[in-house]
Amino acid sequence: MDGLTPDVARQWLETVIRDELEETARRTRAAFHLPKTGNPVESAHHDRLAGEALRLEARKGAEVDLDEDERRELTARGYSNADLDWINYYQHHLGRAAATEAMENRISRRVAKIAGKERISGYEFFDAKRIYLNGRAPALLSAKDSL
């Protein structure tokens, strides 16, 4: 019933954050250079909304609607009702994306490589997936700092 070792968990978290920051930077550059199809401010705002969704998803699971306490908290932090709808949408959309066989296999392979193993256990996978969600969230939430 052992999960990831602290060293493997740290390396995986660093990998997830680095990858998400690089992907966010690519989206921001594309939005900046393609004004007809993108807007860097709007792109960063949606990255933050997705980050909030992932933060909540890592805490309570995938495809669970925002409850009233979460709605009040997010509203108090300045999010509009339209933003809450997007956050709810992203919770469902990103939850389904992270649960695909292809993504779960990708997570397993990448963590196994970090751990120096051919395969990881189910418990290691559960840790790896939670780290994946938790690591992506702060990277996306930092989108406002890159504008």
Side-chain angles (χ1 to χ4, degrees):
M1 298 195 32
D2 290 333
L4 296 176
T5 66
D7 186 53
V8 170
R10 179 190 51 74
Q11 288 181 56
W12 174 232
L13 178 60
E14 289 171 356
T15 299
V16 169
I17 292 170
R18 183 185 62 247
D19 289 355
E20 194 62 47
L21 288 171
E22 289 171 1
E23 180 61 29
T24 299
R26 278 192 293 276
R27 279 193 308 273
T28 300
R29 280 193 310 274
F32 182 79
H33 293 290
L34 301 170
K36 291 183 179 179
T37 59
N39 174 318
V41 173
E42 185 176 324
S43 177
H45 182 68
H46 276 272
D47 283 344
R48 288 189 304 276
L49 298 176
E52 292 289 0
L54 286 168
R55 181 184 62 80
L56 292 166
E57 188 176 320
R59 184 174 74 199
K60 67 180 188 175
E63 299 191 53
V64 179
D65 287 337
L66 292 172
D67 64 29
E68 287 308 310
D69 290 337
E70 291 162 341
R71 287 181 168 279
R72 276 192 294 279
E73 172 203 336
L74 292 165
T75 301
R77 291 180 29 221
Y79 289 105
S80 69
N81 283 332
D83 291 339
L84 299 182
D85 290 342
W86 275 109
I87 291 169
N88 215 41
Y89 166 79
Y90 284 132
Q91 278 186 215
H92 291 267
H93 175 74
L94 296 171
R96 283 190 298 274
T100 65
E101 184 176 351
M103 181 54 74
E104 290 184 347
N105 287 337
R106 182 173 182 241
I107 290 168
S108 292
R109 281 191 312 272
R110 292 185 78 194
V111 173
K113 184 176 179 181
I114 290 169
K117 298 178 171 184
E118 191 162 318
R119 282 188 199 93
I120 59 173
S121 73
Y123 292 106
E124 289 170 315
F125 173 76
F126 295 143
D127 286 349
K129 190 165 182 184
R130 181 170 295 271
I131 289 169
Y132 175 74
L133 296 171
N134 277 318
R136 289 183 68 204
L140 287 164
L141 288 167
S142 73
K144 67 181 173 211
D145 300 330
S146 64
L147 293 177

